[in-house]
Every structure is written in C-alpha cells, then in structure tokens.
C-alpha cells in the first residue's frame, strides 16, 4: 500500500496521515518533518533547507528526492507507506515514478485534501510554527497553486486521484478518507 497526501498548507495532511498510518499500520513519511529534523540536528541538508522553508518556498527538488529515496528504502520492509508532502512538483513526481519503477512498486492512491484558503490561514495562524507568519503563509499558498496543484491533473489522468473535503472535525475528515482508501493489496 503506497498512498500520497496532497493538499495546501494547513489542509490537515500531517494530522490525517498520523491517524491513517496508525489505523493501517503503515509508515508515515513527511518531508516537512524530515526537513525540520535535519534543521534541528544541524545537518548539511538542514542548513541548505532552512532559508527556503523560512520563506515558504520549496526546498530544491534534488535535495528532497535524495532524502525521500533513502527513507523509502528504509521503509521497504513495512506493510506500506504514506507520503505526506511529497511529491510537490512535477519533477518530484517524475522522480518518484523512477524510484518506484526501480523497486517494482506502484502507487495505490493519491488523496487530495481540499480546504478553503480562509480556513487554512486561520488554522496556520493559530498553530504558530516558525513558517506560520502571514507573509510566509501567503507564499506557501501561492507555491501550492503554482507548483503542486498541477500534480492533481498528473494523477487524475492516471486514475489515481481521490479528492476529499478537508473541512469539518478531524474525525469527519478521517471518515471521508477511510471511505475512499483502496482495499489492501
Ligand atoms: P510541511 O511541513 O509539509 O508543511 P505544509 O505542506 O505547509 O503543511 P502543514 O504542515 O502546514 O499543514 P498540513 O497540511 O500537514 O496540516 P496539519 O495537519 O499540520 O512543509 C513545510 C516546508 O518544508 C515547505 O514549505 C517547504 O519549504 C518544505 N518542504 C516540505 N516538503 C517538501 C517537498 N516535497 N519539496 C520541497 N520542499 C518541501 O494541520 C495544520 C493545523 O490545522 C494544525 O494546527 C492542526 O491541528 C489543524 N487542523 C488539522 N485538521 C483540522 C480540522 N479538521 N479542523 C481544525 N483544525 C485542523
């Protein structure tokens, strides 16, 4: 089982990924969490990524793809994996295709979480992460529209996309996701 969550900042990818991964007993790979851990650990990757994240821009594809390639390799033995926040650009999606092809694996499903912008901004301002300032949030929303949203077409054309309304309580959203999840292969 290999699932991707796509959605704008604050749409609940991380919140729902934790719930679904616990329920399905699959690995949760969040590129945002991995990058924040790299910054915290003061690694070379962390020092390269920090300024991009602070501005709300995407970290360069090459750095992120390398990081995900290593993590996917490590997650290989588990019963599956949910990618939260990756891919976020067409080059990343193509790189993921290559990684999966080499390992003889296939995507099971791509789930879009759809939430109106006003609600996203309210959620993020209430959270107060370092990149949750008004200016950075606006930039993250714009980056989502320009660089990540085109992936919806990419996966729609392959019959892999399910869109889920991400407003409502966390439990309601989880139920909607549950309803569109593929049966285990
Ligand atoms: P990342 O950490 O992935 O941030 P993001 O995509 O901006 O998403 P968020 O974590 O803000 O939101 P979320 O959708 O996970 O929602 P959450 O569950 O947290 O990436 C951060 C940065 O890292 C990027 O800007 C980029 O620089 C870099 N990066 C990461 N991946 C990259 C990649 N692939 N390529 C290049 N760069 C990359 O919820 C948000 C808030 O809402 C929480 O407070 C939560 O409690 C609340 N909430 C959740 N659900 C609900 C609900 N139903 N009702 C009310 N509140 C809710």
């Amino acid at each position: 089982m290999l699932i991707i969550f796509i959605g704008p900042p604050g749409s609940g990818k991380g919140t729902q990924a934790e719930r679904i991964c616990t329920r399905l007993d699959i690995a949760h790979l969040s590129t945002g969490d991995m990058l924040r851990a790299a910054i915290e650990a003061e690694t070379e990757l962390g020092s390269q990524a920090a300024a991009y994240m602070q501005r709300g821009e995407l970290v360069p594809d090459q750095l992120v793809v390398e990081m995900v390639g290593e993590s996917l390799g490590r997650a290989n033995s588990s019963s599956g994996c949910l990618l939260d926040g990756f891919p976020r650009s067409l080059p990343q999606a193509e790189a993921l295709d290559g990684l999966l092809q080499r390992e003889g694996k296939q995507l099971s499903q791509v789930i879009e979480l759809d939430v109106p912008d006003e609600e996203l901004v309210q959620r993020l301002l209430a959270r107060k992460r370092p990149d949750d300032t008004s200016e950075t949030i606006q930039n993250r929303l714009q980056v989502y529209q320009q660089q990540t949203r085109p992936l919806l077409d990419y996966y729609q054309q392959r019959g892999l996309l399910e869109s889920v309304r991400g407003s409502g309580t966390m439990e309601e959203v989880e139920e909607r996701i549950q309803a569109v999840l593929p049966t285990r292969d």
Side-chain angles (χ1 to χ4, degrees), residues 153-174:
D153 277 347
Y154 184 82
Y155 290 119
Q156 173 86 63
Q157 280 163 15
R158 291 159 61 172
L160 288 169
L161 184 71
E162 290 283 351
S163 286
V164 167
R165 195 163 64 84
S167 298
T169 66
M170 294 174 192
E171 291 71 24
E172 285 167 343
V173 179
E174 186 182 356

Side-chain angles (χ1 to χ4, degrees), residues 10-12 16 112-120 123 164-174 176:
S11 56
Q16 294 299 331
E112 175 202 11
L113 288 178
D114 186 26
V115 177
D117 279 6
E118 315 81 69
E119 196 173 332
L120 297 172
R123 286 184 186 180
V164 167
R165 195 163 64 84
S167 298
T169 66
M170 294 174 192
E171 291 71 24
E172 285 167 343
V173 179
E174 186 182 356
R176 287 181 209 132

Side-chain angles (χ1 to χ4, degrees), residues 10 12-15 31 36 57 59 85 88 92 127 129 140 168:
K13 301 183 295 296
T15 303
T31 44
R36 280 185 288 277
E57 294 169 11
V59 173
R88 286 194 201 221
Q92 290 184 18
R127 182 176 60 182
R129 206 168 68 186
R140 286 159 65 197

Side-chain angles (χ1 to χ4, degrees), residues 20 23-24 173-182:
I20 297 296
R23 195 185 275 261
L24 298 179
V173 179
E174 186 182 356
E175 273 176 30
R176 287 181 209 132
I177 294 172
Q178 275 289 122
V180 300
L181 280 176

